[in-house]
Amino acid sequence: MIEEWQRRWDENHQTGHWTKKLIPSIREWVECKHRRTCYEVTQVLSGHGSFGTYTQRLQKTDANCVYCNEIDDVEHTIFHCPRWHARRMHATLLLGSDLTPRNMVQKMMSSADAWETVQEMLKEIMREKEREEVEHRNRLNVRV
């Protein structure tokens, strides 16, 4: 069954590009014993969360990052936005290497400690980002 799932995963070129970049191997993902997701990790894995490119599709915001004005997608937020540099560097120090879209999930699956380190980074970034973006929108609405 996992082989069939993997085949369909690999052959689907219509959807899930981001998730497939993060999780190329269904078997490794399914067999990871310490895998625990939460709301914030699910947002990052799916790309469906507080990211300008996603919320713009829902007609709630524009696609630009409120911190640096780059296009705000999940990759930008987690791996490139200068606002979250310190969070990334803290995780990098704990893990012993940089996180990239190609290695983040692999690192998470390598040990329970690594999973916890990355999950905490993602939770901190996403929670603070959501809170700050609400404050930003509220300031804009007050000025109008």
Side-chain angles (χ1 to χ4, degrees):
M1 182 165 54
I2 290 178
E3 286 79 16
E4 175 63 16
W5 186 4
Q6 184 70 52
R7 185 188 64 72
R8 289 181 183 188
W9 187 252
D10 294 339
E11 290 175 359
N12 176 2
H13 301 290
Q14 302 301 314
T15 61
H17 300 286
W18 174 251
T19 306
K20 290 192 298 188
K21 182 187 278 191
L22 296 173
I23 307 171
S25 172
I26 298 296
R27 180 174 300 284
E28 289 177 30
W29 177 256
V30 169
E31 292 177 353
C32 179
K33 301 292 184 212
H34 56 267
R35 175 178 43 92
R36 293 181 342 271
T37 58
C38 62
Y39 175 69
E40 295 83 7
V41 170
T42 300
Q43 286 185 82
V44 172
L45 294 177
S46 68
H48 296 174
S50 295
F51 311 108
T53 54
Y54 179 70
T55 58
Q56 182 183 42
R57 291 189 317 205
L58 303 174
Q59 299 176 343
K60 292 185 176 181
T61 64
D62 66 33
N64 291 342
C65 176
V66 299
Y67 305 109
C68 64
N69 211 32
E70 295 292 324
I71 297 297
D72 181 34
D73 60 12
V74 63
E75 184 170 353
H76 168 77
T77 295
I78 302 305
F79 299 99
H80 306 294
C81 184
R83 171 66 180 92
W84 312 114
H85 177 76
R87 298 283 191 316
R88 285 190 298 273
M89 289 303 98
H90 179 72
T92 293
L93 287 171
L94 293 173
L95 295 167
S97 64
D98 288 338
L99 290 172
T100 68
R102 297 269 183 218
N103 76 9
M104 183 180 76
V105 170
Q106 291 297 321
K107 291 221 180 272
M108 291 173 80
M109 291 189 302
S110 69
S111 73
D113 287 343
W115 186 282
E116 188 65 26
T117 296
V118 176
Q119 180 170 268
E120 284 305 308
M121 178 195 77
L122 298 177
K123 285 165 67 173
E124 289 173 6
I125 290 171
M126 294 308 298
R127 287 175 181 171
E128 194 163 337
K129 183 176 197 262
E130 286 180 354
R131 183 184 56 75
E132 290 176 358
E133 287 179 349
V134 166
E135 290 173 0
H136 177 74
R137 281 193 301 274
N138 288 342
R139 281 193 304 272
L140 289 177
N141 288 337
V142 169
R143 292 182 191 162
V144 174

